[in-house]
Amino acid sequence: MDGASPKCFYEELPKDTLVVGHYSALQHNPQSNAFTTNPDLSITVTVDEVFDNDHRVVNTRGSNTGKFTFSAADAGDHRICFTPSGHTSGGWLSGGAQSGQVKMTLDMAIGETSTIESTDKSKMTEIAQKVRDLNSRLLDIRREQVFQREREAEFRDQSESTNARVVRWTLLQLIVLGVTCAWQLSHLRAFFIKQKLT
């Protein structure tokens, strides 16, 4: 690719086709006369549906290496374009103008679902493991709650039995006190009556 001009190609895709593309870009270095990695180089990926008045499906800007994914909503021609930006020739006479050659490597898989499914499956197994861990923690918390409820019930029963014993002991003391008072009153009455007579 020369300069910042986009490089496009057309792909006819059936409906509901998944397209996954991996790209990498190298910039030509005139000093070493070789293509090297430039971290300032960025690639804009656009995908347009030609059959649908150039409806844009993908418009993403990434680094010099990246991945893009899209699904064809309808069957027809799709224009896939790559536009480099952020690269300069590096010469002081050029004033930092965008120029030079960019070498693109594109690996595109049409109808690729197995790798996405495998990555999704690995993510799903991680999520499933986390859910299992959370469920086991939840079961531990529930067991602890049941244990605390049982202890609370035992404590409540013990408190109620203690309160019942205190009430019974108080009633017994009142009865003994009442009997003692009645006995003393009868004894005093008998004493006063005896004192008057003698």
Side-chain angles (χ1 to χ4, degrees), residues 15-187:
K15 183 179 180 180
D16 296 330
T17 301
L18 182 66
V19 178
V20 178
H22 299 269
Y23 65 87
S24 64
L26 300 173
Q27 183 179 359
H28 185 263
N29 187 346
Q31 284 86 14
S32 64
N33 199 20
F35 287 97
T36 58
T37 302
N38 182 357
D40 296 329
L41 180 65
S42 63
I43 302 295
T44 302
V45 181
T46 58
V47 179
D48 298 322
E49 295 177 336
V50 178
F51 59 90
D52 192 14
N53 294 327
D54 290 335
H55 175 255
R56 186 150 288 177
V57 179
V58 175
N59 185 12
T60 182
R61 184 175 182 167
S63 62
N64 57 355
T65 60
K67 175 182 175 181
F68 65 94
T69 305
F70 72 95
S71 183
D74 288 315
D77 282 335
H78 290 72
R79 182 175 57 239
I80 303 170
C81 296
F82 297 90
T83 308
S85 61
H87 67 288
T88 59
S89 62
W92 64 276
L93 288 174
S94 66
Q98 290 187 349
S99 62
Q101 292 181 333
V102 175
K103 180 180 178 182
M104 287 282 302
T105 305
L106 176 64
D107 181 21
M108 200 164 74
I110 298 172
E112 179 182 321
T113 57
S114 60
T115 58
I116 292 177
E117 287 176 357
S118 66
T119 57
D120 287 346
K121 283 181 183 176
S122 67
K123 288 180 184 176
M124 291 299 289
T125 54
E126 290 176 17
I127 292 172
Q129 182 62 38
K130 288 181 181 178
V131 168
R132 282 193 289 272
D133 292 343
L134 289 174
N135 280 337
S136 65
R137 288 182 186 175
L138 185 64
L139 288 174
D140 291 341
I141 291 170
R142 284 183 179 169
R143 277 195 292 268
E144 184 69 26
Q145 284 178 337
V146 168
F147 176 69
Q148 292 296 334
R149 284 184 190 137
E150 289 174 355
R151 287 186 60 188
E152 183 183 341
E154 289 176 8
F155 181 74
R156 187 179 57 242
D157 292 343
Q158 189 175 8
S159 296
E160 288 176 357
S161 67
T162 303
N163 288 341
R165 275 185 269 173
V166 167
V167 168
R168 275 185 267 149
W169 181 250
T170 304
L171 289 175
L172 181 64
Q173 285 179 340
L174 287 174
I175 290 171
V176 168
L177 188 61
V179 169
T180 305
C181 284
W183 177 77
Q184 282 183 346
L185 284 175
S186 66
H187 182 68

